[in-house]
Amino acid sequence: MTTATKYLEGSTGPWELVIGLEVHAQATSKAKLFSGAATTFGAEPNAQVSFIDAAFPGMLPVINDMCVKQAIKTGLGLNAVIHKFSVFDRKNYFYPDLPAGYQISQFKHPIVGQGYLDIDLENGETKRIGITRLHLEQDAGKSIHDQRPDATFIDLNRAGVALMEIVSEPDIRSAEEAQAFVKKLRSLLRYLGTCDGNMEQGSLRADVNVSVRRPGEDLGTRAEIKNVNSIRFIGQAIHYEARRQIEILENGGQIDQETRLFDASKGETRSMRSKEDAHDYRYFPDPDLPPLLLTDEEIETLRRQLPELPDVKKKRFMDSFGLAHYDAALLTSEIEIANYYEQSLEELQKKISSPDDLAKSGKTLANWILGELFAALNRDSLTIVESKVKPQDLADLIVLMAKGTISGRIAKDVFVDMWETGANPEVIVKEKGLEQVSDDSAITACIDRILAENPDHVADYKAGKDKLFGFFVGKVMKEMAGKANPTVVNELLKKKLS
Ligand code: ADP
Ligand code: MG
C-alpha cells in the first residue's frame, strides 16, 4: 500500500511535489439542485432556466431529493462519513453569469466528511488518498464571448445544476498519481451512476493545487490551477507548475498563493488572481433553506442499493480467476469493460460445468479481452460497447478452445473472422471446417508421410539433434493446416521417433 516518493531533481537538489485536488462532479439528475429546470446537455441557450435559476425576486429554492441521494451514494462509495446534519450557505460574489449574486453551497457543515479513495498505479501498486469532504453546490451560468466582437452573451442553462465538490487531502505526490486519482474517481462515479464523468461536456473538472518542498520540510505555499477539464491537461499543468515553482525557489524567490489558469494551447499555467485580491465570500446560512437532516435509515437504504464497486470487483476477479492485480484493475477500470467481461463469463458458466475448468477459462477470457479484443478496438477506434465481437460470441470462442475443438492458433484466425463478419465462432468453425483433428489415424498417417519424406532429418534426430523435433511438429501442423491437436501430434511423434 505504500509507494516510495519520487523526487524531482532541481539544480540545487531534490524536491517533493505535493498535490491536492478539488473535483467538481455534476450530480446525475434530470432536474437542477433547487429547481425543476432540465439539465440536458447541448440544449438551446437559456432553454432550461426557471425563475429560481434566473434569480427572480421572491422565488424560493426547493431541494431536489435526487441530488441529495447522489451525494450520499458518492460519499458511501468514497468510504466516507455521511453527516446527518448539513447546512446550505450563500457564497457571495458578483459575476455576470451568477444572477443571484451568490452561489448556494455548503461551507462549515458539508453533507459528506472524511473518506478515502484507493488509486491504482502503473507499477501495479495501490495508494490510498484521503478525501477531506464532499459538499453540494450550484453551478453558475456561462459567459459566451465568441459570438459577437462587441457583446458578451449569457447562457443560464448550467445555472443551478447540482455539483458535488469532492476535495482530496494533499496526499498526491506526482502528476501520474493525480491522473490516477481522477481516473479512479471518474470510474467510481460511473459505477455508482452519480455522475456521467463526461469531461468534454464539463460534467467533471478539477482544480489542481500544487506546491513543492524539500524532502522532509513542511508544506510549501500552493498555487491553485482552476477548472482543468481533461486527464491529459491535469498531467501537463502539474509538470509545468512544478518546474515553475522549483525554478523560482531555487533562484531565491517565493511562491505567491494564487489562482492560475492552464492554457492548453501553450501547455502553460498563468496567473489569474493573487491572494491579495482573493474574495471575501461572506458565507452565511441561506435563510430560505433549513438545515438538511438525514436519518440512519435513509443512509442505510442507500448503502444497500450500492452496486458492487470497482475495488471489490477487482478482488473478486483476482480470487476467482487468478488474475494479476494489473489485469484485474484494467478489467474493472471502466464499468463497461467489467460488464463485457461479466456478460461473457455468464455465457461460459452455461457451457463449462467443472469449477476448475471454469476458473481456467475465465482467465483465458480475461487475456483475450485485454489482448486481441483491446487491440482490435484500438485499431478501429471503438469503445468496448461498440465492439464488433459480442461478449457471448467471445465466450463461445473460449469454449471451443477449452473443449479442444480448435487450437489457440486457429482461434486467432477465427477471431479475425468474427471481427469482420460479426458471426458466431461455432458457425465459422463449422463452415470453414476448422475443427481440430485429434483422430490418431489421420495424424499418424501424416506423420508417417513426413518421416518418409525426410530420412536425413530422421537420421540426424536419432543421432542426437534433439532440436529437430520442432521441425517435425511444424511440418505436421503445416500439412494439417494447423488443425492437428498439438498434444496428440507431440505424443505420436515421440513414439514414432523413439
Ligand atoms: P481552499 O478551500 O481555500 O481552496 P483548502 O485548505 O480547503 O483551501 O484546500 C483546498 C485543496 O488544496 C485541498 O485539495 C488540499 O488538499 C489542497 N492543499 C492544501 N494545502 C496544499 C499544499 N500546501 N500543497 C498542495 N495542495 C494543498
Ligand atoms: Mg479551493
Side-chain angles (χ1 to χ4, degrees):
M1 204 74 176
T2 46
T3 22
T5 302
K6 278 191 233 88
Y7 296 120
L8 295 171
E9 267 324 303
S11 54
T12 60
W15 292 89
E16 185 180 0
L17 189 48
V18 176
I19 302 159
L21 297 177
E22 296 162 274
V23 176
H24 287 92
Q26 179 175 334
T28 298
S29 162
K30 289 204 172 93
K32 295 183 181 179
L33 183 53
F34 298 110
S35 85
T39 59
T40 318
F41 180 80
E44 280 289 297
N46 295 309
Q48 302 177 154
V49 186
S50 74
F51 290 121
I52 294 169
D53 309 322
F56 274 45
M59 294 294 119
L60 285 176
V62 178
I63 185 84
N64 176 349
D65 187 49
M66 175 71 176
C67 299
V68 174
K69 286 191 172 129
Q70 298 292 49
I72 297 171
K73 276 195 195 172
T74 306
L76 293 171
L78 290 167
N79 313 289
V81 188
I82 309 299
H83 291 149
K84 285 187 276 177
F85 172 90
S86 70
V87 175
F88 287 103
D89 297 290
R90 289 187 182 177
K91 177 179 179 177
N92 300 279
Y93 66 92
F94 289 98
Y95 206 74
D97 63 17
L98 188 75
Y102 60 84
Q103 173 193 29
I104 304 179
S105 180
Q106 297 189 304
F107 187 50
K108 271 202 196 116
H109 300 283
I111 183 165
V112 175
Q114 287 188 343
Y116 62 81
L117 182 67
D118 289 335
I119 61 172
D120 301 303
L121 302 174
E122 263 171 33
N123 61 6
E125 285 180 47
T126 299
K127 178 172 173 178
R128 181 159 293 182
I129 306 295
I131 299 294
T132 315
R133 59 189 272 156
L134 175 156
H135 65 255
L136 275 168
E137 64 182 30
Q138 298 175 300
D139 203 351
K142 196 171 146 201
S143 300
I144 301 167
H145 305 288
D146 57 3
Q147 300 278 310
R148 259 173 54 177
D150 59 339
T152 291
F153 295 103
I154 304 287
D155 175 9
L156 292 180
N157 281 351
R158 289 199 73 93
V161 162
L163 300 180
M164 302 180 283
E165 178 169 337
I166 301 157
V167 182
S168 90
E169 290 291 305
D171 290 346
I172 299 166
R173 290 291 173 273
S174 67
E176 291 66 39
E177 286 183 19
Q179 291 176 310
F181 179 88
V182 176
K183 275 188 206 156
K184 187 65 177 284
L185 179 59
R186 181 174 178 276
S187 157
L188 177 72
L189 293 166
R190 298 182 73 238
Y191 269 80
L192 289 164
T194 56
C195 169
D196 66 24
N198 196 327
M199 297 186 86
E200 298 92 75
Q201 297 181 359
S203 303
L204 191 78
R205 45 199 207 255
D207 297 346
V208 186
N209 296 271
V210 179
S211 67
V212 296
R213 64 176 171 187
R214 295 289 192 189
E217 278 182 355
D218 290 342
L219 288 185
T221 305
R222 72 191 147 103
E224 178 178 8
I225 311 159
K226 277 279 176 201
N227 265 328
V228 191
N229 65 356
S230 91
I231 289 178
R232 192 158 56 90
F233 292 164
I234 288 173
Q236 288 175 359
I238 293 171
H239 284 302
Y240 179 86
E241 188 58 23
R243 282 291 146 205
R244 186 187 72 86
Q245 293 186 14
I246 290 171
E247 202 175 300
I248 292 174
L249 293 170
E250 292 197 325
N251 288 317
Q254 255 173 297
I255 304 299
D256 295 329
Q257 184 168 340
E258 60 179 356
T259 305
R260 299 178 70 84
L261 278 183
F262 178 65
D263 181 341
S265 63
K266 295 204 180 93
E268 297 174 0
T269 66
R270 63 182 138 80
S271 185
M272 192 170 127
R273 55 173 186 259
S274 72
K275 181 85 179 179
E276 284 83 75
D277 34 68
H279 290 106
D280 172 5
Y281 290 117
R282 294 171 295 123
Y283 278 102
F284 63 87
D286 192 310
D288 292 337
L289 289 160
L292 183 61
L293 302 176
L294 306 172
T295 64
D296 287 322
E297 205 192 317
E298 282 170 305
I299 297 168
E300 289 317 307
T301 305
L302 289 171
R303 195 193 298 277
R304 281 195 297 274
Q305 289 170 11
L306 292 186
E308 185 182 39
L309 296 177
D311 288 338
V312 178
K313 214 184 261 300
K314 181 174 74 187
K315 175 136 196 326
R316 181 165 63 79
F317 288 171
M318 289 168 73
D319 293 347
S320 316
F321 306 109
L323 301 189
H325 179 266
Y326 184 77
D327 290 349
L330 269 181
L331 283 171
T332 50
S333 62
E334 295 285 350
I335 189 166
E336 289 84 1
I337 300 172
N339 285 345
Y340 187 102
Y341 185 45
E342 295 202 275
Q343 283 162 17
S344 246
L345 281 172
E346 217 171 279
E347 193 68 20
L348 275 189
Q349 261 152 12
K350 285 187 211 155
K351 298 185 174 161
I352 300 177
S353 47
S354 134
D356 279 356
D357 290 348
L358 189 61
K360 236 188 261 158
S361 291
K363 181 159 186 176
T364 310
L365 175 61
N367 290 337
W368 273 74
I369 292 175
L370 298 174
E372 307 293 318
L373 185 71
F374 273 22
L377 291 170
N378 249 334
R379 201 182 47 235
D380 291 3
S381 305
L382 297 175
T383 67
I384 199 158
V385 183
E386 300 161 327
S387 170
K388 297 187 190 164
V389 170
K390 297 296 154 218
Q392 290 76 9
D393 291 330
L394 185 59
D396 285 346
L397 183 67
I398 306 293
V399 172
L400 286 172
M401 277 189 277
K403 300 212 160 139
T405 313
I406 57 172
S407 65
R409 236 237 349 98
I410 293 287
K412 294 206 174 176
D413 294 343
V414 175
F415 181 85
V416 171
D417 222 330
M418 290 164 73
W419 188 263
E420 276 165 12
T421 62
N424 179 274
E426 283 167 22
V427 176
I428 295 173
V429 167
K430 230 177 241 130
E431 270 179 6
K432 298 204 163 170
L434 297 173
E435 287 97 344
Q436 182 160 266
V437 180
S438 303
D439 168 25
D440 284 12
S441 60
I443 298 175
T444 307
C446 179
I447 289 177
D448 287 343
R449 205 162 50 242
I450 299 240
L451 297 186
E453 279 166 11
N454 296 280
D456 297 353
H457 283 90
V458 174
D460 286 351
Y461 177 83
K462 290 195 167 157
K465 247 187 155 185
D466 290 351
K467 275 197 192 134
L468 281 172
F469 192 76
F471 163 82
F472 294 121
V473 175
K475 276 269 178 199
V476 175
M477 291 307 275
K478 191 164 172 215
E479 191 110 329
M480 301 195 65
K483 292 187 288 183
N485 181 329
T487 320
V488 179
V489 172
N490 269 285
E491 273 169 19
L492 293 178
L493 253 179
K494 259 187 209 135
K495 239 188 256 165
K496 289 266 171 191
L497 284 168
S498 64

